[in-house]
Each structure stands twice: as C-alpha cells, then as structure tokens.
Amino acid sequence: MTKSKFPNHISDRVFDLCNSAETVSSLLAKDPSLSPSDAWNKLFGQHALKKRHPGTEEEEEEEQSISSEEEDNGQGSTYYKSPPTPPYSPTSAQEHLDPAAKCGKWGGKRPSYLFLQIYHDALCTLDDEPLRGMVSPPLLGTCGTVPLTIISVIPDIARHMANLIYRAEHEIFLATNYWQSSVASTYLTNAIRDLNKRLASEFEASFSSSSPPQRKKVVLKILYDRGTPKQLLSRHQIVSPETYTNASTIGLPHPDEIPFIDMQVMNFHTPIMGTFHAKYMVVDRRMAVLQSNNVQDNDNLEMATHLEGPVVDSLWDMAMISWHKHLEPMMPCVNSPAGEAWATGREDRTETTRVVDLSRQARVSRNSLAVTEEPPTTGTTTHPTVIPNVPKHTIEEPHYDTSIAAEVARIQASLAAKLDPDNNVIETHLQAVTRLLNHTRNPNFTADPLAPDPVNDPDNKTIPYLFLPHHQTDQTPETVPMALVNRAPYGSPNHSSVSNPQNAAWLSALRNATHSVFIQTPTLNAAPLLPAILDACNRGVQVTCYVCLGYNDGGELLPRQNGHNEMIAHQLYSSLSPEARQNLHYYWYVGKDQTRPLVQSKGLRSCHIKLMVVDGHVGIMGNGNQDTQSWFHSQEINVMIDSEEVCGTWMEGIRRNQNTAIYGALDKEKGMWLDAEGKEADGIIGVDPGGRIKRWAKGAVGAVKRVQGTGGF
C-alpha cells in the first residue's frame, strides 16, 4: 500500500515527540526489566502515538491498515517523493524553520539555515512511523565534538578501536555489517583479551588496598549480520559461543578466556533484503566511532569519525533499539548519560594515569605491549609533529596509547621517511604509503612510478589521523550542532521504503545547496538521487562525485538495482545540457600512490567512504551508500554535522589521502574516464553492460560474492 501525502512541515505529533522528556534510554534506566523494544512501544509505538495525538476515525483506520501490511519490518512501506522545501520569503522561511530549531538540543548554538532546512525535511518523514529514525525522537537533534577523523585503510581504524576497547572501564557496544576472522578482527580480539588481563590485574591490585576487593566486569555487546533461515521467525538471534569462536569465520574469544568481560553476540537481519549495514562502536557511553568499514580485510580506503559529547547518548540509544531484546546483563552506563556528565563537567580527568597504572600492573605478556604515558606534541591537524622511533601497533606487537594525541603521533611516525644511520633514505613517504595501502592484501603491489611523492610538499602528505585537539572532552570544547539521519531496515523486495531521515536529508541537501555539494561513495545509482543531482547542476550548483570504478558491479546489475557506476555516470552527463554539464564533476577513485583508477574487481585500490559535504559547512557521514540497497532496504546510521571547521578537516583528508582529484576526472562530453592516449581503464564492464540476460548473469555472480563477503557492502 502507498500513501499519497507529501509532508512539507513538521507535524504537531513530531514536534511533541522531539520535545518529550522520555527516551528509550531513560525508560530503561527507570525499569531495567524492559527490553528496548518494550520501551519503544510504550513511548512511541502506534498505540502510544494514538494516545498522544488521537486522530479522526478515518485516519486511525488508515494507520491500522498500513500497520497490518508492514508488521515487524521496522520501517513502513510508505512511498514519499522528496517533500519540496516551500518557497517562503526569508522572514516566513525563518518562521517555518523555528519548529525544527526547537526539536533539538544544540548546545546553546542555533544551527545554520541550511542545517535546519535539511533537518526539517528529515523530521517530516517521521509523522506516521517514528521508528524510521532508529533513535528516540528527543535525541535526533543534538550536539557534540569531533576530536578525530580517520581516512585510511581498515587496520588504521581497527587500531583506534582497539585502543578504545583496551581503555574501556564499563561497557562496549560494537556493531558491524560483516565480521570476518581477519587481521582487522585480530586487532579487536587482541584488545578484548588484553582488556581482560588489565581488569584481572586491577582486581589483584585491589587486595592490597584497605577497601574490600571488587571484581568488576566490562559488558561487551557485539552485533553483526549473517543471514540465517532462523531469522524468518525472529530477526534478532543470540549467537552461541560455539559459533562465534569458530576461528575460520568469526574468531571471537571464548567466555572462559575472558572471565572479566561479559560478552554477548547477536546476529541481526530483516529478511529478505533488510541488511543490518550499520558500523559503529560506543564505549563507556562517553565516546563513539561511526565508520564506513566492516570488520574484514580488503583494499578499501575507509572513513571513521570519533564523536564525543551529548551525541554519544543518541548513538547509545540507537544501539539499544537495534539490540531489541532484553539486555542480559543491563548496560552498566544506563544511568550515566554522556549529556549529563558534559553539562555538569563531571568528566573523569584521570583516565590517562589510571590506564597507565593498570597496564603496568597487568604485565600483558606479548613482548612489546606498551602504553604511551605522555602524549607527544602533534603539531596542527594537517602538519603533525613526527616523533621518530615510535613502534607501530601491530597484531604481533600491540602498543596501546592513553590518548588520541599519542595515537596520532604513533600513526604518523609509521609514514615518515626512514633513514639509515648515514641519513640515506631507505623508505620514502610514498613508499610508506604504498606499504600502508597494501597492508594484508597486496604485499608486493608497487606504486605507479609516475605518482608524485610529496617529500618536499607537506601540504600533500598522507595524514590518516586528522586530529582536532580542542574537540577533546578534557579540553572543555564548544560543541557543534549534530543530528542523526538514519534509516531502519526494510525486508520486502520492493522499492516502497524511501521515506526516512537518511534519504530526506540527502535529497534536501542537494535541493537546498547554494553553491556546492561533494559526494564520495563506493556506488551511486539510487533512482531518487539522480534527478536531484541533475536539478542541482541545472541551477548552477557545483556537484562533485567521487565514486569507485567497478565497485560491486555484479550486484548493481541485478534486476531493480538500477545499474553500475559507469552506466550511471554516462547517463547523468548525457542528461545535462552542455552548460549544465560543466557543473557536474565526476571522478573515479585513484589511490594515493597511483595515477589512474583501478577497477575494484582487481582488489588493489578501492574506496568505501560514504560522505556528503554541502556548501562547505554541513556534512553527512556514516554507513549509507548512494545505491539502491542503502536507499530502500538496509539499516544505516549517519551523523549530520554543522561545522565549517569539521567539514574543512574532512575535505582536507579527502584531498590529501587519495589522488582522485588529480587523475580521476571523467571526460564531461563522453561521460567516461580516458587516459592521455584516449584509452579506458583496464578490466571495466563499460557504460553498456549488454543485454538483460548478460547483465543478470553478471549480477548473479556479484550476488554470490557479496554473500561470501568478497563483494561490496
């Protein structure tokens, strides 16, 4: 069933929900016997909504009809076209956006006009089903800080996650679409085991104090998606230790190995198409990492953002809703919101000393385990000071740090040029970058000999960890406005589920941009997105798209997936007038050590970043691709941030850590990439993939690879 209303204003119901006092998190704190799904239904389920805002008998009958057809899909099948932002005068437009401004806790700073336009349109999708937002409505609009952004390969993101796991004091919630036993997963499982040793040492040390010994356990929840027939009966399946300890598939530690950690693992999928595509981690309800990568080994360049402040409460609430079932045991920080600690200044300033002391006591046995006690000076965000002879954190020799600053110094040291005792160069910066990009997958692949080595150009050196020191909690930073723009999973094999905060935010961003939109995504083919890109170009907005050549081509050629990247790029250019064509800037991703795009099927240099930056100050990053699956089916978690500084840092990292802008541009007249000799990239399908049967055959192969974990996610 479809519904024909196109909301263009925030309803009284949504306004009331966003300003209510209760959330799933607060209700769990009051009554730990509730499951998150019970808490949601008490507050925001259809019965609760009717009590809050009773409608006419006809409206209620319509809602019941829709609800019965959409049972337990978490989303609803309502189809909305993009709600147009009405052409208000400046005065009436401001009045129109005032309700949106009142639907968030922005940290004392009113968000920008553009941010509120996008946020307004995202809220408009929630009137008949708030669960589309995958977070309690009062926590949709929030604020926070971004002390660290990582733009690098998966091991570098795993290193930061491992540090946060090792430093955890109370709880960890880790979610990923695909968990595969791998080098990436070993960073995390090492950290889990080393955290257990640290906690054991803390317990032993407590015997020497005057207080009674206390045995503390850290609660660890892990959520991933590995579709199973059991999920036809229940989407949320608790995974047995016999399954998750299998070294060839998952490889997590057995509970007997980690007696000081209470670990529970869940497999979540919404049949048939509702993939749990989310990737994030929340630690101690004080910090969160939102990322583009899964836990597996591949050649992708990825992006992760470390968040602190009240936004962590929003992500924690979302994690509880995703878990759905009773929390056994309850999360220890259920009564310790990040927002309250932030507001009252009660953050613990002694974490560094405590972790160093515990690490000394733990004597974790692998030979080179180290904790950096004093974070070295790291210079500025884009010109960090390189500390020589800092050992690299590896799975064979972990080196945990006590602060983000120390992590930044360690990572950057690994990319510095290496000299012998006579000051002869034995590894250049570019060679170190190649080593980083090759990591576990391509140890013998070499840089393109024509790729520029920025040895004397500090503005173009690779910087995987982009550090904003004044955004750290212990620096009492000023928060920036943020909002979660998510989508819930939808399993039915149709395209009805388009109305949700994620999709509305992306469309609104393109519709309301005044001068520029930047998009980086592995795949771009979602049907509602394409006309929005064309409309923006036609009115003079500069739209830049960084897309990965050949990414998941097979899967995108399946029926109803709308086509592969080359086909879409060619169609977009062909649909524009010669004048408007100059406003579309399409690029294939090019690795930092290369001078041409390499098709993703080669597994050498691919990119999986998901990012949109609008007019230089509103950014949306997270899990969602610009493809059919992410637009219509998968659960996606994204954060929207209103900050010129943060968006500028993101764009600086995008520019520095790839050569896409230099070598990846498509020919605007032909709508394809050509080298200096007029040749296309090697191994591509081309803009014309052939007839229907040929396309479907390629799609079937791609689908198999995706299930096996070797395709695109």
Side-chain angles (χ1 to χ4, degrees):
M1 178 176 180
T2 61
K3 206 174 174 186
S4 60
K5 72 174 186 178
F6 303 92
N8 60 12
H9 70 282
I10 297 171
S11 69
D12 290 343
R13 175 189 289 184
V14 170
F15 185 87
D16 175 55
L17 292 177
C18 290
N19 286 279
S20 59
E22 292 282 21
T23 64
V24 167
S25 303
S26 65
L27 204 54
L28 291 176
K30 291 179 179 178
D31 186 356
S33 68
L34 291 173
S35 69
S37 61
D38 291 337
W40 178 274
N41 287 329
K42 284 175 72 73
L43 295 173
F44 311 117
Q46 288 297 329
H47 182 69
L49 293 182
K50 290 172 187 175
K51 280 188 173 181
R52 283 174 178 266
H53 290 274
T56 66
E57 185 176 341
E58 291 79 8
E59 287 174 334
E60 292 185 2
E61 287 176 356
E62 184 180 21
E63 287 181 357
Q64 288 169 355
S65 175
I66 293 171
S67 179
S68 66
E69 293 190 11
E70 300 164 357
E71 183 177 355
D72 199 34
N73 61 28
Q75 167 79 10
S77 61
T78 306
Y79 183 89
Y80 288 82
K81 292 182 180 177
S82 171
T85 302
Y88 294 105
S89 67
T91 301
S92 61
Q94 195 69 29
E95 293 173 355
H96 175 70
L97 296 180
D98 280 345
K102 294 174 182 176
C103 286
K105 299 176 178 64
W106 312 115
K109 179 181 180 181
R110 182 182 172 106
S112 68
Y113 185 80
L114 175 62
F115 182 96
L116 288 176
Q117 285 177 310
I118 300 171
Y119 182 58
H120 166 276
D121 290 353
L123 291 179
C124 285
T125 67
L126 301 178
D127 185 58
D128 63 324
E129 181 47 273
L131 191 54
R132 291 193 182 103
M134 285 304 300
V135 65
S136 297
L139 296 172
L140 278 160
T142 183
C143 60
T145 66
V146 189
L148 179 68
T149 297
I150 303 171
I151 297 177
S152 189
V153 292
I154 294 176
D156 275 353
I157 296 174
R159 289 181 179 102
H160 180 56
M161 294 173 70
N163 269 285
L164 296 184
I165 290 170
Y166 182 74
R167 298 200 290 259
E169 290 293 327
H170 308 289
E171 64 176 52
I172 304 160
F173 193 107
L174 195 163
T176 186
N177 165 242
Y178 195 79
W179 182 295
Q180 185 179 57
S181 184
S182 55
V183 171
S185 70
T186 304
Y187 279 103
L188 307 185
T189 54
N190 279 352
I192 292 169
R193 292 183 173 96
D194 291 341
L195 170 62
N196 183 75
K197 293 177 182 178
R198 204 205 83 197
L199 295 170
S201 177
E202 179 183 11
F203 178 60
E204 292 174 9
S206 68
F207 283 94
S208 61
S209 67
S210 57
S211 303
Q214 294 185 347
R215 177 170 176 151
K216 180 178 71 176
K217 278 193 172 187
V218 167
V219 173
L220 169 60
K221 306 287 187 188
I222 296 178
L223 183 61
Y224 60 67
D225 184 336
R226 278 181 174 247
T228 170
K230 292 181 180 179
Q231 285 159 333
L232 292 169
L233 300 175
S234 174
R235 298 180 299 159
H236 298 80
Q237 296 285 328
I238 298 298
V239 183
S240 69
E242 291 73 23
T243 299
Y244 68 66
T245 57
N246 187 319
S248 65
T249 55
I250 307 299
L252 285 164
H254 193 277
D256 293 344
E257 288 185 73
I258 50 172
F260 288 85
I261 298 176
D262 197 323
M263 182 170 70
Q264 195 172 28
V265 181
M266 179 181 284
N267 180 3
F268 173 35
H269 182 86
T270 303
I272 303 174
M273 303 287 291
T275 299
F276 179 74
H277 194 240
K279 312 136 197 315
Y280 57 86
M281 185 172 75
V282 184
V283 178
D284 290 341
R285 204 170 171 180
R286 290 295 179 272
M287 59 204 76
V289 179
L290 183 61
Q291 61 218 73
S292 65
N293 64 288
N294 298 304
V295 179
Q296 62 182 146
D297 294 338
N298 56 41
D299 63 302
N300 290 343
L301 189 75
E302 304 274 5
M303 180 175 180
T305 298
H306 178 114
L307 301 162
E308 296 184 8
V311 67
V312 177
D313 284 332
S314 303
L315 290 162
W316 193 89
D317 187 88
M318 173 274 301
M320 299 304 104
I321 293 168
S322 298
W323 188 263
H324 188 77
K325 292 190 172 184
H326 283 94
L327 293 147
E328 300 172 350
M330 175 54 71
M331 303 299 282
C333 295
V334 67
N335 286 300
S336 181
E340 286 186 10
W342 189 275
T344 58
R346 289 187 285 105
E347 292 294 338
D348 188 350
R349 311 298 185 192
T350 62
E351 177 187 7
T352 297
T353 303
R354 180 173 61 252
V355 173
V356 170
D357 289 343
L358 293 172
S359 301
R360 288 170 174 162
Q361 296 163 7
R363 298 187 180 90
V364 181
S365 61
R366 279 192 298 280
N367 294 333
S368 298
L369 178 67
V371 175
T372 303
E373 299 188 25
E374 295 297 329
T377 302
T378 57
T380 66
T381 302
T382 54
H383 295 86
T385 302
V386 175
I387 309 300
N389 303 318
V390 177
K392 191 174 182 178
H393 179 163
T394 66
I395 59 171
E396 294 82 14
E397 296 185 359
H399 292 270
Y400 300 108
D401 296 299
T402 61
S403 68
I404 294 175
E407 292 181 51
V408 171
R410 188 181 300 281
I411 288 291
Q412 206 56 34
S414 70
L415 294 179
K418 307 298 188 297
L419 306 176
D420 66 14
D422 297 323
N423 285 329
N424 298 310
V425 176
I426 57 177
E427 184 182 61
T428 67
H429 172 69
L430 185 62
Q431 288 170 334
V433 170
T434 296
R435 171 171 47 80
L436 174 71
L437 296 176
N438 285 344
H439 61 98
T440 57
R441 302 287 292 188
N442 303 293
N444 299 317
F445 188 61
T446 58
D448 188 315
L450 299 178
D453 188 341
V455 59
N456 295 315
D457 186 4
D459 288 333
N460 282 309
K461 286 187 176 181
T462 295
I463 298 182
Y465 280 25
L466 299 151
F467 184 36
L468 293 174
H470 57 284
H471 274 246
Q472 295 180 107
T473 301
D474 60 1
Q475 301 296 315
T476 59
E478 180 180 344
T479 59
V480 298
M482 299 183 182
L484 292 194
V485 286
N486 306 330
R487 67 152 293 136
Y490 179 70
S492 298
N494 59 52
H495 289 175
S496 297
S497 172
V498 70
S499 177
N500 52 71
Q502 170 192 265
N503 296 355
W506 285 335
L507 291 173
S508 183
L510 280 158
R511 186 171 56 253
N512 291 298
T514 59
H515 60 81
S516 67
V517 175
F518 172 85
I519 298 170
Q520 181 145 29
T521 176
T523 45
L524 191 157
N525 66 6
L529 178 71
L530 306 183
I533 289 175
L534 296 175
D535 288 346
C537 292
N538 282 326
R539 66 174 198 273
V541 175
Q542 303 301 304
V543 179
T544 301
C545 300
Y546 284 13
V547 184
C548 187
L549 178 61
Y551 205 95
N552 196 35
D553 269 356
E556 305 307 334
L557 291 172
L558 284 168
R560 298 176 62 79
Q561 296 303 299
N562 212 38
H564 69 310
N565 286 334
E566 292 173 84
M567 179 194 305
I568 297 301
H570 186 264
Q571 287 177 1
L572 286 171
Y573 274 118
S574 300
S575 300
L576 291 167
S577 68
E579 294 77 20
R581 204 173 292 158
Q582 303 311 306
N583 300 327
L584 178 61
H585 313 281
Y586 228 90
Y587 297 78
W588 298 141
Y589 166 74
V590 179
K592 182 66 175 179
D593 62 346
Q594 301 299 308
T595 62
R596 59 193 299 120
L598 300 176
V599 68
Q600 189 257 348
S601 60
K602 293 180 180 290
L604 295 170
R605 296 288 184 269
S606 305
C607 187
H608 196 236
I609 289 170
K610 306 100 161 39
L611 174 66
M612 177 183 281
V613 175
V614 190
D615 288 351
H617 68 90
V618 173
I620 303 171
M621 68 79 57
N623 309 151
N625 300 321
Q626 300 294 348
D627 62 12
T628 300
Q629 176 67 28
S630 285
W631 271 73
F632 293 108
H633 294 291
S634 296
Q635 177 169 323
E636 311 287 5
I637 308 302
N638 309 285
V639 65
M640 179 168 68
I641 295 178
D642 191 9
S643 167
E644 186 174 356
E645 179 189 36
V646 172
C647 289
T649 300
W650 288 352
M651 294 307 299
E652 176 77 358
I654 293 293
R655 181 186 67 80
R656 281 177 171 271
N657 296 346
Q658 52 188 298
N659 282 343
T660 304
I662 306 172
Y663 303 111
L666 275 63
D667 184 295
K668 293 179 186 291
E669 300 304 317
K670 297 181 179 179
M672 59 180 67
W673 184 90
L674 301 170
D675 66 13
E677 298 177 355
K679 297 179 181 178
E680 295 186 74
D682 182 51
I684 62 171
I685 290 178
V687 297
D688 182 3
R692 180 179 300 178
I693 294 177
K694 185 177 180 180
R695 292 200 304 269
W696 290 4
K698 292 176 181 177
V701 173
V704 170
K705 289 182 177 180
R706 191 167 181 136
V707 171
Q708 292 172 337
T710 57
F713 288 91

